[in-house]
Amino acid sequence: EPEVTQTPSHQVTQMGQEVILRCVPISNHLYFYWYRQILGQKVEFLVSFYNNEISEKSEIFDDQFSVERPDGSNFTLKIRSTKLEDSAMYFCASTLDGSPEKLFFGSGTQLSVL
Amino acid sequence: KQEVTQIPAALSVPEGENLVLNCSFTDSAIYNLQWFRQDPGKGLTSLLLIQSSQREQTSGRLNASLDKSSGRSTLYIAASQPGDSATYLCAVSNTGNQFYFGTGTSLTVIP
């Protein structure tokens, strides 16, 4: 079965550093998403991306965050200057046609900001 | 802002029991509601999606219902199995793709 791949599975960084979280969505999918889950809290929507532009973003997704599809396979989330409160599990997801019931999630990247 | 609540937070049942997980949401103007399963170290897996115009959806031993006017959904699991042990998340969307999640119900099915 096709799957969404996220690397690395765990990333540790110092406060103030830039991090890039990488995702390889399912190859023929067109809609891409980032969600995050702070330990013990709810999964939260960050951003959706279609046709090389952001289609929706939450209030969490401020100027410190950016997304990019640099080539035909990768979808990245960049945090410019990490804060302690950015520590969370970050999930990438994709769908072929935007259908939410066909939303496939990756297994996540655990980001720890020290 | 949409708030989603799930009760109970944790549930432990013997194998074979039928069980119900509850979800409530504050804004009834939803586009759809989805139930997910989350396993440790893995991503979320979509179980059932109910459009706002629907009352229920079924997949195998799972049945999800939606009462939009009262802001409630239930996930019914029949004849539970140890493999059903996981965290079950309810999520609602007001626009179609931005989901608001509940904190989940951690289910343990005891063999």
Side-chain angles (χ1 to χ4, degrees):
Chain A
E1 183 175 290
E3 59 181 24
V4 175
T5 304
Q6 290 187 245
T7 56
S9 57
H10 195 177
Q11 181 152 0
V12 181
T13 190
Q14 295 290 325
M15 190 170 59
Q17 293 296 305
E18 174 184 285
V19 294
I20 298 176
L21 308 183
R22 302 182 190 278
C23 169
V24 180
I26 294 172
S27 61
N28 59 343
H29 282 191
L30 301 175
Y31 295 75
F32 314 112
Y33 311 84
W34 285 101
Y35 283 80
R36 78 173 187 188
Q37 185 176 30
I38 296 171
L39 186 63
Q41 297 187 25
K42 299 178 180 182
V43 175
E44 301 171 293
F45 170 81
L46 294 178
V47 66
S48 61
F49 189 85
Y50 170 70
N51 201 27
N52 281 321
E53 60 183 28
I54 291 172
S55 46
E56 277 186 83
K57 62 181 181 179
S58 72
E59 57 196 25
I60 300 168
F61 194 88
D62 61 22
D63 291 344
Q64 290 299 310
F65 292 88
S66 62
V67 289
E68 191 178 32
R69 186 151 164 83
D71 53 43
S73 59
N74 290 284
F75 179 53
T76 62
L77 174 69
K78 181 192 291 187
I79 309 174
R80 282 185 236 292
S81 177
T82 50
K83 308 184 189 85
L84 295 176
E85 54 264 38
D86 293 328
S87 295
M89 179 72 86
Y90 288 81
F91 293 105
C92 173
S94 69
T95 70
L96 171 63
D97 54 7
S99 301
E101 69 269 29
K102 298 170 192 170
L103 194 59
F104 288 83
F105 279 83
S107 54
T109 292
Q110 179 64 55
L111 176 65
S112 300
V113 182
L114 306 179
Chain B
K1 183 184 170 185
Q2 182 72 269
E3 291 291 337
V4 182
T5 305
Q6 291 186 247
I7 54 171
L11 182 63
S12 185
V13 299
E15 182 177 1
E17 263 200 19
N18 303 325
L19 58 101
V20 175
L21 308 181
N22 296 290
C23 171
S24 61
F25 46 93
T26 52
D27 183 354
S28 62
I30 65 169
Y31 188 77
N32 55 48
L33 180 146
Q34 189 156 193
W35 283 92
F36 290 88
R37 170 182 173 140
Q38 185 176 26
D39 292 281
K42 296 187 179 179
L44 286 66
T45 301
S46 174
L47 297 173
L48 288 165
L49 177 125
I50 309 178
Q51 300 289 356
S52 61
S53 57
Q54 298 174 321
R55 299 279 297 186
E56 66 177 329
Q57 281 288 331
T58 298
S59 175
R61 294 182 293 109
L62 305 180
N63 175 277
S65 68
L66 173 64
D67 183 344
K68 207 171 65 156
S69 61
S70 67
R72 293 178 189 278
S73 175
T74 62
L75 178 67
Y76 174 84
I77 302 178
S80 57
Q81 302 170 359
D84 295 331
S85 297
T87 296
Y88 290 81
L89 300 174
C90 169
V92 300
S93 173
N94 295 96
T95 62
N97 280 300
Q98 178 177 164
F99 281 96
Y100 295 91
F101 283 80
T103 47
T105 294
S106 177
L107 173 66
T108 302
V109 180
I110 304 164

